[in-house]
Amino acid sequence: MYPYQITSLAQYHEVYQKSIKDPEGFWAEIAAHFSWRKPWDKVLSWNFKTPEIKWFEGGKLNITENCLDRHIEKSGDTPAIIWEPNNPDSPTRTITYRELLFKVKQFANVLKNNGVKKGDRVCIYMGMIPELAIALLACARIGAIHSVIFGGFSARSISDRLQDANGEYVITCDGSYRGNKEIALKPIIDDALVNCPFVKRVIVFSHTNTPVSMHKGRDVWWNEEIEKVEEQGNPDCPAEEMDAEDMLFILYTSGSTGKPKGVVHTCGGYMIFANYTFVNVFQYNPGDVYFCTADIGWITGHSYIVYGPLSAGATSLMFEGIPTWPDAGRMWEIVDKYKVNILYTAPTALRSLMSYGVEVVEKYDLGSLKVLGTVGEPINEEAWHWYNENIGKKRCPIVDTWWQTETGGMMISNLAGVTPSKPSFATLPIPGVQPVLVDEKGAELEGNNVSGNLCMKFPWPGMLRTTYGDHERCRLNYFSTYDNLYFTGDGCLRDEEGYYRITGRVDDVLNVSGHRIGTAEVENAINMHTGVVESAVVGFPHDIKGQALYAFVICSEHPRDEQLMRKDIAETVSSVIGAIARPDKIQFVSGLPKTRSGKIMRRILRKIAEGEMANIGDTTALLDPAVVEDIKTGKL
Ligand code: 7RM
């Protein structure tokens, strides 16, 4: 039990009311349960116009003291991280809090020896191994700002991010394992660094023993650097004193326009929010084994594999592989093997596993499970019921957690077993979170049984503070659509009981297998291919991925081999962004449906992509309505 854990519905309502009436008092009371070097001067100052948001200003802390040092006395021997390798026959690893602190200090000293200082940006590109978590925490220990890049991104995506953040340090692996694949990561870093001469040091962890080229004067081996630290003979590394509002990390995420934005989170507020939501939503209790299947390359991994669980002294199970290898029972095997109590995964994973039938599930004992969670996209009712019946055996509450990279932690979700669940509804806001629905003009829709755009009217500690290097972009993206509100980009329904159901993005951001992909980004990538004149990308429903990408492409001349051209375009997208952004369908067209002002009418393309040819809607605003017929019939 944590002192701020809510344990009944009545208490939830009571706490929620308090959090609205006196948000500062509410959060200050929670924050008091953490380790601060110096208390804050002011709980909150905020202005959504500029925007400027500060929580616990003047407070000094280090998040790693909260995630590690403070647990040692009582729970030094508690497993902090249990690691399950990709290959079920490879050895597993268990790292206690005491060992994790030791390793974090050691690697923090490696960073220092290599010149990394407080405020420096360190880019991390690794597979799902404990050293990834150690790398994050070691950065945080010395006040360096980490920027994790998901292992599926291309060299170009890496160099874009390195340049944007002016990251002078990189931490990577020789390679990583995912299913039956061995993915070489270091060569991708080498390609990325051709355009990043400012990178001073690359620290390489050897995991797969894949041969790599080590660049003299720039690249060093993780293990050799650790040996040097051991030779220096001082295993300690005092934690850097950070202001609550100092940057903790940058995480790039796709928006509706252009390049990904570097979402910035700070030390104090983020920590408290990640911890509070972790403890309350999952109803974590000390001793529980908690398994989040996300990748640390995404926000879910940051908040709910690393910072939330570790700040709560929890046992966080980390899995290197994928749910379908060696077979579709892999996740259930892990639940059985480690007697997992809390499982947090994505609807796309569930939909994919559903298709293999319940026989694979029935081979394992899932009796240890107490709580199930989902995140990343709306969960369809079919997947919800499958999860409830076949995994939870109807005895585990399912928490449907709605949140974003920008929110830092869960915003709307039921609390497991405490507040009611409702299939496909994220249900009620977390205490301290004040959602509002607005119409197109920004007028607040009050009462129940309304649908609109989801906004927040009051700050919460985990919210983004800026987009790295471009504060105006942060303002424009999130704070300018509606006056005095944070705009999420999601559409939402509030039903007759006041429960929230997220209906999906209302901007040009797609959600493919729970990964956020900006259509503009994919179009830019497609347009880089020689022979492509213009393109438009929209989403269409996909049974497993939720949404998939449909690209309409105009070529300068008719491709001699359409199939080859499609592959070339997909390859281009892979190399510019990464394989996750490869379009599922590519249709060559002679024109795109544009308004007189030249804006592509995506609504029409979406209908065509969905196969709703008969129901295309009003096309009178188009410059040339005939293109619609050509696209429908596939005429070039
Ligand atoms: C945590 C994460 C954010 C977007 C968000 C939504 C969608 C996430 C849910 C959901 C319905 C959910 N961060 N989304 N969770 N939609 N129900 N429980 O996913 O930045 O990568 O994506 O994902 O559209 O705006 S994210």
Side-chain angles (χ1 to χ4, degrees):
M1 262 293 278
Y2 297 80
Y4 40 87
Q5 204 158 350
I6 298 167
T7 53
S8 72
L9 181 59
Q11 194 194 355
Y12 163 78
H13 287 300
E14 197 184 298
V15 170
Y16 188 78
Q17 284 316 316
K18 182 190 160 148
S19 79
I20 301 267
K21 277 202 210 103
D22 177 18
E24 299 181 25
F26 169 75
W27 287 113
E29 218 171 88
I30 295 160
H33 293 285
F34 291 75
S35 283
W36 295 85
R37 294 265 187 97
K38 175 185 166 289
W40 51 90
D41 302 318
K42 194 165 191 281
V43 178
L44 170 67
S45 47
W46 68 289
N47 173 352
F48 272 1
K49 293 209 188 303
T50 37
E52 190 179 26
I53 295 105
K54 288 183 180 162
W55 283 94
F56 309 110
E57 208 180 341
K60 303 285 181 193
L61 80 163
N62 186 290
I63 196 168
T64 68
E65 286 187 335
N66 284 277
C67 287
L68 303 169
D69 307 62
R70 71 166 172 152
H71 304 312
I72 299 300
E73 203 185 318
K74 260 194 174 164
S75 348
D77 298 322
T78 299
I81 295 175
I82 298 175
W83 181 71
E84 170 69 13
N86 177 59
N87 188 326
D89 299 325
S90 299
T92 73
R93 291 168 67 184
T94 299
I95 303 173
T96 65
Y97 273 93
R98 196 186 320 283
E99 289 163 343
L100 186 58
L101 175 58
F102 179 80
K103 284 175 182 292
V104 167
K105 285 178 177 176
Q106 245 189 348
F107 192 64
N109 283 327
V110 166
L111 294 176
K112 282 203 231 168
N113 281 347
N114 280 279
V116 183
K117 294 194 181 56
K118 178 175 180 176
D120 285 345
R121 275 79 53 219
V122 178
C123 173
I124 304 177
Y125 188 67
M126 298 171 92
M128 282 286 286
I129 54 174
E131 281 66 25
L132 170 52
I134 292 167
L136 264 68
L137 292 162
C139 287
R141 187 87 181 165
I142 63 169
I145 300 163
H146 58 74
S147 165
V148 182
I149 301 175
F150 173 63
F153 280 119
S154 67
R156 193 184 170 111
S157 290
I158 299 168
S159 56
D160 284 350
R161 285 158 174 74
L162 274 167
Q163 284 163 4
D164 187 77
N166 189 30
E168 293 175 328
Y169 302 92
V170 174
I171 307 171
T172 189
C173 294
D174 47 357
S176 74
Y177 299 115
R178 275 176 67 79
N180 61 4
K181 288 198 210 107
E182 184 182 316
I183 302 151
L185 296 178
K186 175 63 165 57
I188 301 176
I189 289 291
D190 291 337
D191 284 351
L193 295 198
V194 170
N195 299 315
C196 303
F198 49 85
V199 170
K200 292 182 186 155
R201 189 68 82 235
V202 180
I203 302 174
V204 187
F205 183 79
S206 168
H207 178 57
T208 52
N209 286 319
T210 312
V212 295
S213 97
M214 294 291 279
H215 195 303
K216 194 179 285 171
R218 188 194 71 187
D219 303 352
V220 294
W221 289 108
W222 176 301
N223 282 339
E224 288 177 7
E225 294 302 298
I226 292 282
E227 278 165 27
K228 285 186 200 161
V229 166
E230 281 169 350
E231 281 158 21
Q232 287 164 353
N234 180 9
D236 197 26
C237 177
E240 187 75 33
E241 188 168 288
M242 305 293 284
D243 193 277
E245 280 300 327
D246 281 341
M247 277 186 208
L248 174 63
F249 66 83
I250 306 169
L251 187 61
Y252 284 86
T253 191
S254 296
S256 50
T257 49
K259 279 189 192 171
K261 314 174 273 265
V263 168
V264 169
H265 286 290
T266 56
C267 297
Y270 171 80
M271 171 183 79
I272 284 149
F273 195 64
N275 176 290
Y276 183 78
T277 49
F278 172 75
V279 162
N280 278 292
V281 169
F282 296 124
Q283 291 290 305
Y284 186 87
N285 282 302
D288 286 343
V289 176
Y290 159 83
F291 177 21
C292 168
T293 69
D295 191 291
I296 293 179
W298 309 110
I299 190 69
T300 305
H302 283 62
S303 301
Y304 299 111
I305 294 178
V306 182
Y307 291 115
L310 298 184
S311 66
T315 296
S316 183
L317 171 58
M318 182 175 175
F319 172 43
E320 181 184 23
I322 57 170
T324 49
W325 190 83
D327 61 54
R330 188 69 171 114
M331 256 164 63
W332 321 126
E333 180 192 359
I334 296 172
V335 168
D336 189 351
K337 179 170 173 185
Y338 297 99
K339 302 296 166 216
V340 169
N341 305 113
I342 303 168
L343 174 67
Y344 192 29
T345 192
T348 186
L350 295 172
R351 286 191 302 264
S352 141
L353 295 176
M354 273 163 72
S355 66
Y356 293 88
V358 289
E359 300 73 39
V360 257
V361 181
E362 281 160 358
K363 288 206 283 197
Y364 302 98
D365 176 8
L366 306 183
S368 56
L369 286 172
K370 294 195 289 196
V371 173
L372 305 175
T374 91
V375 62
E377 53 179 312
I379 182 164
N380 48 310
E381 291 207 29
E382 197 192 347
W384 194 97
H385 288 294
W386 188 85
Y387 202 19
N388 184 39
E389 282 156 32
N390 299 296
I391 307 306
K393 319 286 183 195
K394 295 193 182 164
R395 32 163 218 88
C396 302
I398 298 178
V399 287
D400 180 350
T401 65
W402 174 85
W403 59 294
Q404 309 179 294
T405 304
E406 294 85 347
T407 70
M410 300 155 176
M411 298 288 280
I412 303 180
S413 173
N414 49 318
L415 312 182
V418 172
T419 66
S421 65
K422 184 166 184 170
S424 81
F425 281 74
T427 74
L428 300 172
I430 300 292
V433 171
Q434 301 190 32
V436 287
L437 301 183
V438 297
D439 67 15
E440 304 284 277
K441 296 195 184 77
E444 184 171 344
L445 302 163
E446 288 180 58
N448 289 341
N449 240 330
V450 284
S451 285
N453 288 346
L454 178 62
C455 296
M456 298 295 151
K457 66 174 174 195
F458 197 85
W460 62 99
M463 74 187 295
L464 87 164
R465 301 298 194 266
T466 188
T467 46
Y468 193 83
D470 192 349
H471 192 63
E472 176 61 5
R473 196 160 172 212
C474 175
R475 189 187 69 79
L476 280 173
N477 253 286
Y478 308 104
F479 299 92
S480 71
T481 316
Y482 304 112
D483 198 33
N484 249 332
L485 295 174
Y486 164 84
F487 177 42
T488 65
D490 279 315
C492 184
L493 159 91
R494 187 167 51 224
D495 76 356
E496 57 289 346
E497 295 176 283
Y499 290 166
Y500 290 85
R501 175 194 200 157
I502 313 302
T503 47
R505 302 288 304 195
V506 294
D507 53 9
D508 293 321
V509 174
L510 302 179
N511 195 324
V512 179
S513 301
H515 299 153
R516 255 168 83 166
I517 297 174
T519 53
E521 225 182 309
V522 183
E523 287 161 8
N524 289 344
I526 294 175
N527 298 349
M528 283 182 196
H529 186 73
T530 52
V532 169
V533 176
E534 200 183 356
S535 63
V537 172
V538 296
F540 70 99
H542 186 282
D543 283 349
I544 288 171
K545 300 181 184 186
Q547 273 188 309
L549 303 178
Y550 196 123
F552 297 89
V553 179
I554 305 175
C555 296
S556 48
E557 48 189 276
H558 184 76
R560 253 176 296 149
D561 180 340
E562 284 198 12
Q563 220 28 49
L564 185 60
M565 182 68 169
R566 283 195 186 90
K567 284 186 185 150
D568 286 354
I569 290 173
E571 244 347 273
T572 310
V573 174
S574 270
S575 80
V576 176
I577 304 174
I580 52 169
R582 284 171 87 102
D584 290 78
K585 284 193 189 158
I586 297 174
Q587 180 181 345
F588 297 110
V589 296
S590 57
L592 292 166
K594 289 189 180 176
T595 60
R596 283 178 196 87
S597 59
K599 236 181 142 255
I600 297 172
M601 280 183 86
R602 289 167 187 282
R603 168 176 65 77
I604 293 174
L605 293 176
R606 271 194 289 268
K607 288 274 183 207
I608 295 173
E610 286 163 12
E612 284 209 40
M613 305 292 184
N615 197 0
I616 237 89
D618 186 10
T619 57
T620 48
L622 290 178
L623 182 65
D624 176 13
V627 284
V628 177
E629 276 319 300
D630 291 349
I631 298 174
K632 276 188 349 193
T633 55
K635 187 172 155 237
L636 261 175

